[in-house]
């Protein structure tokens, strides 16, 4: 049953058309993956559904009384509160209903009300409606419901008193999701809810989405997550929606098949159009030579036929691909022993992160570094970079090794935020303006973006610029800290291909399970202060760790 319908909407920003004639329907208990390149308008579509953006034309039809909740990309929790205090803040609708119930109950005790049969009947009717709303929002079990949701999302009672400022980005998202879900909106819109979540957090998020009683629409770049939870995949590209009735893997296969059919139909139709246009030219030529009204009418008739095909939208478009960055990580052979950790220990305020950690990376290896949030993965990268010093042990980088570092929060760009991408590239490359512009264009930046301050770029654009910076450093050891965050899936696939061709060594911190399966041949897990090594990608790690059955 459809509970929301988008009817032929169009939205434009600053003379740029985001959507045109976009239609879509969401059904009861749907599980929808909304995919598409960065900048396609996925978050804008969410804002249209929430009523925050009014379409230029068309409309959104919503079932009466339906509630929509949204988890945004960036979450801000109230300051100065603990985790449990924040989670227990009642949804506005529930708080308003409780206030109205208190007011009604006070009126029922008023002699002027209970002494007047008509007013009493009206008040009791209103009281009954409010009680029904209160029950629908689980008002009577709000506190217990919050605790159930927190447990489902991976929190324990020991976490409750933690101040929200001490929570990781992923934990803040899960607290916000619990607050959102306790109100039980009929449709949940989740905008990249898995960003900054560790592996355990992603598993808990999957379980939550699968068990949610309403409909869920999720924007995510985690291909394994989309495969697990989505029953329908909706692609938003070039202002249009295309629906695929299956998960992400089904979408990839079906999309390729549809594009092949479209290209074949395009070629066939173009041949037919060319034949008709040649016929029109012959008729017009004959009409001029012999002044034949018959031939002139025949030419007009066929030209009008082509015009009507275009008016009815029957002209098949040529298949075109999204413009992608041209990422080439050349690398070069250096020391055979690239990096060695020798009994390294690290602690903060007497709180040990890892003890006697040892590991060796050799030339050409692709190694993934995994572990729960807070285990010390980013700290280990800072130790390798020399930004921190270990409490004990040694870190040895090969003598002919040049490191290229990609930081999770784009910190490598901090010193350049007031400058432009063009200025950054020219400074690093010592090149002409035209060469620097051409380089940035190959990295999928527009000409205008090359000249705007870096601080105005989106997260995905900063990620591409950071990759461009790494590319210019010409390293033979890559340290990548969550490189897939903020990149759309097509860009992640470009990165996967570039790493496959890279003539060097790679150490990747990532919670993107599909990405790890595609790129690494060995995993190092930091857990409980220890480093453990596993051969293979993430799926092989799950089998070896006893979390997945072989085969």
């Amino acid at each position: 049953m459809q509970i929301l319908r988008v009817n032929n909407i169009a939205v434009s920003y600053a003379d740029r058309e985001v959507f045109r004639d976009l239609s879509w329907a969401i059904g009861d208990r749907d599980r929808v993956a909304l995919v598409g390149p960065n900048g396609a308008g996925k978050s804008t579509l969410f804002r249209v559904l929430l009523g925050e953006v009014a379409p230029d034309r068309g409309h959104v039809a919503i079932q009466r009384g339906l509630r929509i909740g949204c988890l945004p990309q960036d979450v801000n929790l109230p300051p100065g509160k603990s985790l449990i205090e924040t989670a227990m803040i009642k949804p506005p609708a529930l708080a308003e209903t409780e206030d109205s119930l208190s007011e009604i109950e006070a009126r029922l005790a008023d002699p002027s009300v209970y002494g007047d049969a008509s007013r009493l009947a009206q008040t009791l009717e209103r009281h009954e409606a409010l009680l029904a709303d209160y029950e629908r929002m689980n008002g009577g079990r709000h506190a217990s419901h919050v605790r159930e949701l927190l447990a489902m999302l991976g929190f324990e009672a020991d976490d409750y008193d933690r101040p929200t400022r001490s929570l990781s980005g992923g934990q803040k998202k899960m607290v916000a999701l619990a607050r959102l879900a306790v109100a039980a909106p009929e449709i949940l819109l989740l905008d990249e809810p898995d960003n900054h979540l560790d592996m355990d957090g992603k598993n808990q998020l999957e379980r939550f989405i699968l068990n949610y009683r309403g409909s869920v629409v999720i924007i995510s770049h985690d291909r394994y997550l989309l495969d697990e939870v989505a029953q329908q995949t909706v692609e938003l590209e070039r202002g249009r929606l295309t629906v695929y009735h299956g998960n992400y893997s089904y979408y990839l296969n079906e999309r390729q098949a549809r594009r092949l059919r479209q290209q074949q139909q395009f070629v066939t139709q173009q041949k037919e159009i060319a034949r008709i246009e040649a016929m029109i030219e012959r008729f017009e030529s004959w009409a001029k030579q012999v002044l034949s009204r018959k031939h002139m009418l025949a030419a007009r008739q066929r030209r009008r036929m082509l015009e009507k095909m275009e008016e009815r939208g029957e002209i098949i478009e040529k298949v075109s691909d999204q413009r992608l960055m041209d990422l080439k990580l050349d690398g070069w052979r250096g020391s055979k022993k690239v990096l060695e950790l020798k009994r390294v220990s690290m602690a903060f305020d007497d709180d040990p992160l890892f003890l006697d950690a040892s590991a060796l990376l050799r030339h050409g290896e692709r190694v993934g570094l995994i572990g729960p949030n807070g285990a010390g993965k980013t700290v280990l990268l800072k130790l390798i970079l020399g930004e921190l010093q270990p409490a004990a042990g040694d870190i040895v980088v090969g003598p002919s090794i040049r490191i290229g570092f990609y930081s999770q929060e784009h910190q490598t760009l901090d010193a350049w935020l007031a400058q432009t991408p063009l200025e950054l590239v020219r400074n690093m490359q010592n090149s002409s303006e035209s060469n620097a512009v051409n380089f940035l264009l190959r990295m999928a930046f527009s000409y205008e973006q090359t000249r705007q301050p870096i601080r105005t770029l989106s997260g995905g654009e900063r990620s591409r610029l950071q990759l461009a910076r790494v590319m210019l450093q010409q390293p033979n050891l890559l340290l990548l800290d969550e490189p897939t965050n903020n990149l759309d899936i097509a860009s992640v696939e470009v990165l996967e291909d570039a790493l496959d061709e890279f003539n060097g060594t790679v150490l990747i911190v990532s919670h993107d399970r599909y990405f790890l399966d595609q790129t690494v041949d060995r995993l190092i897990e930091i857990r409980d202060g220890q480093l453990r090594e596993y051969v293979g990608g993430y799926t092989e790690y799950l089998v070896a760790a006893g979390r997945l059955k072989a085969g």
Side-chain angles (χ1 to χ4, degrees):
M1 179 181 69
Q2 292 182 3
I3 56 176
L4 180 149
R5 184 162 190 86
V6 177
N7 296 301
N8 299 311
I9 66 168
V11 173
S12 298
Y13 283 134
D15 298 326
R16 183 179 78 87
E17 188 177 59
V18 183
F19 312 132
R20 63 179 180 278
D21 299 327
L22 188 148
S23 296
W24 182 32
I26 298 175
D28 184 35
R29 291 190 61 81
D30 274 357
R31 297 291 183 271
V32 182
L34 180 60
V35 301
N38 286 341
K42 300 186 293 294
S43 296
T44 299
L45 180 55
F46 272 12
R47 295 183 66 199
V48 171
L49 299 183
L50 291 164
E52 296 173 359
V53 171
D56 301 325
R57 62 177 182 272
H59 68 283
V60 179
I62 301 176
Q63 190 180 78
R64 189 178 186 86
L66 181 136
R67 294 164 301 152
I68 304 175
C70 182
L71 182 72
Q73 284 188 36
D74 300 313
V75 168
N76 294 309
L77 299 181
K81 292 184 180 294
S82 68
L83 184 156
I84 192 65
E85 288 172 336
T86 302
M88 286 293 180
I89 296 174
K90 291 177 180 176
L94 177 58
E96 184 179 333
T97 299
E98 286 186 344
D99 290 343
S100 298
L101 278 170
S102 297
E103 180 185 337
I104 288 288
E105 286 162 4
R107 290 176 61 190
L108 287 171
D110 184 346
S112 64
V113 173
Y114 67 71
D116 185 322
S118 175
R119 291 182 64 188
L120 179 61
Q122 290 177 355
T123 305
L124 287 172
E125 184 179 347
R126 174 62 177 155
H127 186 250
E128 185 177 352
L130 287 170
L131 283 174
D133 287 343
Y134 185 73
E135 287 296 318
R136 181 170 55 88
M137 289 184 280
N138 290 316
R141 57 183 301 269
H142 175 262
S144 61
H145 193 194
V146 167
R147 289 187 171 87
E148 288 171 9
L149 287 166
L150 290 175
M152 182 183 294
L153 293 170
F155 293 104
E156 298 176 354
D158 291 344
D159 298 318
Y160 287 177
D161 292 330
R162 290 179 58 187
T164 54
R165 68 176 181 275
S166 72
L167 301 178
S168 69
Q171 289 170 327
K172 288 177 181 177
K173 278 205 167 185
M174 292 301 95
V175 172
L177 182 56
R179 286 185 58 192
L180 185 64
V182 77
E186 285 76 17
I187 298 177
L188 266 184
L189 307 178
L190 307 181
D191 196 349
E192 303 206 22
D194 52 298
N195 261 9
H196 309 297
L197 288 183
D198 58 21
M199 305 298 190
D200 292 338
K202 292 195 178 196
N203 291 331
Q204 288 147 359
L205 177 64
E206 286 173 9
R207 189 166 64 251
F208 169 83
I209 293 172
L210 290 171
N211 290 322
Y212 190 71
R213 292 185 178 181
S215 300
V216 179
V217 183
I218 179 172
I219 298 171
S220 174
H221 301 147
D222 187 313
R223 290 159 285 184
Y224 276 161
L225 174 64
L226 298 183
D227 265 352
E228 286 297 317
V229 304
Q231 301 163 338
Q232 181 184 113
T233 302
V234 177
E235 180 187 56
L236 178 59
E237 189 173 15
R238 295 183 177 89
R240 296 179 181 175
L241 276 180
T242 308
V243 177
Y244 298 82
H245 295 285
N247 65 8
Y248 185 77
S249 292
Y250 172 86
Y251 150 75
L252 284 182
N253 294 329
E254 179 64 16
R255 180 176 185 267
Q256 184 63 20
R258 290 188 191 184
R259 286 164 67 84
L260 286 172
R261 287 196 298 270
Q262 180 182 337
Q263 186 62 22
Q264 291 167 352
Q265 292 166 354
F266 168 79
V267 170
T268 301
Q269 188 183 65
Q270 287 299 305
K271 287 180 180 178
E272 179 64 13
I273 290 173
R275 187 186 68 79
I276 294 171
E277 288 177 339
M279 188 182 299
I280 291 170
E281 287 183 12
R282 287 198 302 273
F283 282 143
E284 288 178 340
S285 176
W286 293 342
K288 288 176 183 177
Q289 290 175 21
V290 299
L291 300 178
S292 168
R293 176 177 174 77
K294 174 184 175 183
H295 288 138
M296 184 58 71
L297 288 174
R300 287 178 182 174
Q301 183 183 35
R302 283 160 178 78
R303 191 173 298 283
R304 182 58 183 155
M305 180 179 69
L306 292 179
E307 290 171 354
K308 283 184 176 179
M309 285 176 63
E310 189 168 354
E311 290 170 3
R312 292 193 296 261
E314 295 173 355
I315 302 297
I316 298 169
E317 293 183 0
K318 182 180 180 179
V319 173
S320 57
D321 293 314
Q322 175 190 345
R323 189 164 69 96
L324 300 173
M325 58 181 175
D326 183 18
L327 181 64
K328 287 183 171 56
L329 300 166
D330 295 327
W332 42 283
R333 189 177 183 90
S335 309
K336 187 173 181 180
K337 281 188 177 182
V338 174
L339 173 68
E340 187 171 11
L341 308 182
K342 297 181 176 181
R343 300 180 65 85
V344 174
S345 296
M346 189 63 185
F348 287 114
D349 299 327
D350 298 325
D351 183 16
L353 283 176
F354 37 83
L355 301 170
D356 292 329
S358 296
L360 175 64
L361 272 67
R362 292 184 171 86
H363 172 75
E365 284 195 301
R366 272 66 173 146
V367 180
L369 185 59
I370 63 173
N373 285 338
K377 302 182 297 295
T378 299
V379 170
L380 185 54
L381 294 187
K382 289 183 177 181
L383 289 169
I384 296 168
L385 291 165
E387 295 177 7
L388 295 173
Q389 295 302 313
D394 296 304
I395 297 176
V396 181
V397 177
S400 57
I401 297 302
R402 182 186 299 163
I403 296 176
F405 176 52
Y406 179 103
S407 59
Q408 181 179 160
E409 302 293 338
H410 306 132
Q411 293 95 329
T412 60
L413 301 177
D414 284 352
W416 292 91
L417 292 179
Q419 309 300 311
T420 67
L422 181 58
E423 290 169 320
L424 183 151
V425 170
R426 291 197 67 187
N427 179 270
M428 292 189 67
Q429 205 177 37
N430 194 23
S431 65
S432 68
E433 180 173 316
S434 61
N435 285 341
V437 168
N438 287 333
F439 172 75
L440 287 165
L441 292 178
R442 292 199 305 274
M443 290 298 291
F445 288 95
S446 67
Y447 184 82
E448 293 74 19
Q449 287 172 333
T450 68
R451 287 173 162 76
Q452 68 186 62
I454 290 171
R455 66 170 177 269
T456 66
L457 299 179
S458 69
E461 289 157 357
R462 292 192 195 190
S463 292
R464 279 190 278 115
L465 185 59
Q466 205 177 184
L467 287 172
R469 182 180 178 277
V470 169
M471 184 172 160
L472 291 173
Q473 290 173 321
Q474 296 184 315
N476 57 358
L477 170 59
L478 292 175
L479 303 181
L480 308 179
D481 193 359
E482 298 286 2
T484 63
N485 279 1
N486 302 303
L487 289 179
D488 58 34
I489 294 174
S491 297
V492 172
E493 290 171 346
V494 170
L495 176 59
E496 289 169 356
D497 291 340
L499 291 176
D500 186 52
E501 297 172 4
F502 176 60
N503 181 25
T505 307
V506 185
L507 179 61
I508 306 170
V509 174
S510 180
H511 294 137
D512 188 327
R513 299 159 292 180
Y514 192 97
F515 179 70
L516 290 173
D517 267 346
Q518 295 297 109
T519 56
V520 307
D521 45 45
R522 181 158 61 99
L523 281 170
I524 297 175
E525 181 186 37
I526 305 180
R527 187 178 289 271
D528 301 325
Q530 302 295 317
L531 266 62
R532 298 178 180 86
E533 297 194 17
Y534 300 86
V535 176
Y538 185 73
T539 300
E540 288 85 355
Y541 153 76
L542 288 178
V543 173
R547 299 166 124 190
L548 183 70
K549 291 183 180 179

